[in-house]
């Protein structure tokens, strides 16, 4: 029998939103459903890989055979990823991480006052993907770029700036694909050995189908680059 494509490979995948506490009862977050990251985890497992899924708060069942670590904040997600990066061959950052968190979360519930305005001070969250990509030894690092305009240009900039091995670009200005939808249409971008930008396009496809095709392509890309 032929070994499945992912046999012997270990994936680390982030998925879903993060939740940043404002006080004990409130938070900042976003509408990421986690569907794409969970579909990728499921597909990698189905291809024979070992998968650790670091998930923000989402209402999705854990794919069979996948190790799931639940986190809330970006800092917790970073810590979970760093704890697993040395045991990972490929890292796929699919989570919609909050860019900012409270500088100092309130220890007690923030009370309404007579004032018509309330000012919150936010500070930047760590970039989980860029942090893992900058570490050594590092897994093969794959990012996602959800953009509403100049999709490929911005994705290419992120590929370079975050020192990634590949990036999956998708146009979230189209409501039939992307956030919350069951479909997605993406372009995979990477640099070849001569640092020439390469791209491969997928038409709009069910996230589960797309996830299988993407994982298969990422595995071959990883093997091509590792064999040099
Ligand atoms: O820069 P931008 O947030 O658009 O980059 C998106 C990519 O970076 C995604 O792969 C996302 O999971 C990852 N990311 C991250 N940590 C952050 C912000 C983004 O891992 N704080």
């Amino acid at each position: 029998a032929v070994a499945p494509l992912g046999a012997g490979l270990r994936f680390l995948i982030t998925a879903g939103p993060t939740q940043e506490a404002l006080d004990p009862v409130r938070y900042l977050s976003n509408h990421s459903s986690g569907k794409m990251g969970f579909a990728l985890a499921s597909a990698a497992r189905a291809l024979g890989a070992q998968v650790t899924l670091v998930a923000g708060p989402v209402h999705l069942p854990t794919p069979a055979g996948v190790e799931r670590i639940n986190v809330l904040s970006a800092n917790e997600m970073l810590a979970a990823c760093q704890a697993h990066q040395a045991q990972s061959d490929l890292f796929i950052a699919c989570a919609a991480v909050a860019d900012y968190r409270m500088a100092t979360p309130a220890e007690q519930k923030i009370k309404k006052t007579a004032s018509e305005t309330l000012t919150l001070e936010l500070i930047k969250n760590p970039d989980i993907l860029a942090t893992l990509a900058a570490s050594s030894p590092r897994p093969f690092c794959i990012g996602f770029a959800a953009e509403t305009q100049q999709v490929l240009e911005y994705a290419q900039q992120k590929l370079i700036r975050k020192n990634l091995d590949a990036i999956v670009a998708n146009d979230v200005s189209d409501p039939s694909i992307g956030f919350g939808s069951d479909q997605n249409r993406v372009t995979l971008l990477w640099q070849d050995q001569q640092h020439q930008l390469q791209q491969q396009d997928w038409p709009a496809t069910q996230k589960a189908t797309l996830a299988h095709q993407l994982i298969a392509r990422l595995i071959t890309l990883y093997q091509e680059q590792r064999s040099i």
Side-chain angles (χ1 to χ4, degrees):
V2 178
L5 195 56
L9 292 178
R10 299 160 303 177
F11 279 78
L12 179 61
I13 300 174
T14 67
T18 66
Q19 211 175 76
E20 311 296 333
L22 302 183
D23 68 16
V25 296
R26 304 185 181 94
Y27 57 80
L28 268 177
S29 192
N30 62 66
H31 289 297
S32 169
S33 66
K35 282 179 187 170
M36 192 67 217
F38 275 61
L40 289 166
S42 172
R45 179 73 196 119
L47 287 169
Q50 182 190 310
V51 182
T52 300
L53 176 61
V54 180
V58 294
H59 297 282
L60 291 173
T62 308
V66 166
E67 180 201 8
R68 175 177 183 172
I69 300 169
N70 289 322
V71 297
L72 293 176
S73 68
N75 273 327
E76 285 173 24
M77 187 173 276
L78 174 63
C81 289
Q82 287 180 317
H84 285 80
Q85 75 172 97
Q87 304 95 263
S88 303
D89 301 302
L90 293 98
F91 174 55
I92 307 180
C94 203
V97 181
D99 289 327
Y100 292 90
R101 68 176 183 277
M102 278 284 266
T104 313
E107 282 178 28
Q108 305 296 333
K109 185 180 168 190
I110 299 169
K111 301 301 285 181
K112 186 159 55 183
T113 68
S115 173
E116 289 301 317
T117 64
L118 171 70
T119 303
L120 301 174
E121 191 189 354
L122 305 180
I123 58 171
K124 243 196 196 134
N125 266 328
D127 190 310
I128 298 163
L129 176 57
T131 303
L132 265 66
S135 66
S136 169
R138 73 201 264 291
F140 192 76
C141 290
I142 301 120
F144 269 74
E147 305 289 350
T148 56
Q149 54 171 346
Q150 295 171 259
V151 177
L152 295 187
E153 290 81 30
Y154 286 138
Q156 182 183 352
Q157 287 170 16
K158 276 176 201 175
L159 175 75
I160 308 296
R161 176 162 43 84
K162 300 194 190 202
N163 188 31
L164 307 181
D165 296 292
I167 193 157
V168 182
N170 71 326
D171 184 348
V172 289
S173 65
D174 181 343
S176 69
I177 55 173
F179 268 39
S181 147
D182 286 320
Q183 290 222 343
N184 209 346
R185 184 182 66 223
V186 304
T187 300
L188 182 67
L189 296 173
W190 70 96
Q191 287 184 298
D192 67 16
Q193 260 70 46
Q194 287 73 42
H195 297 284
Q196 295 297 307
L197 192 70
Q198 301 292 328
Q199 80 174 65
Q200 185 172 343
D201 295 290
W202 275 268
T205 318
Q206 288 295 112
K207 282 183 178 172
T209 311
L210 177 67
H212 272 268
Q213 296 176 1
L214 257 182
I215 290 287
R217 183 64 189 100
L218 290 172
I219 290 172
T220 59
L221 194 60
Y222 165 78
Q223 288 166 342
E224 282 161 26
Q225 311 235 331
R226 280 297 146 107
S227 65
I228 309 294

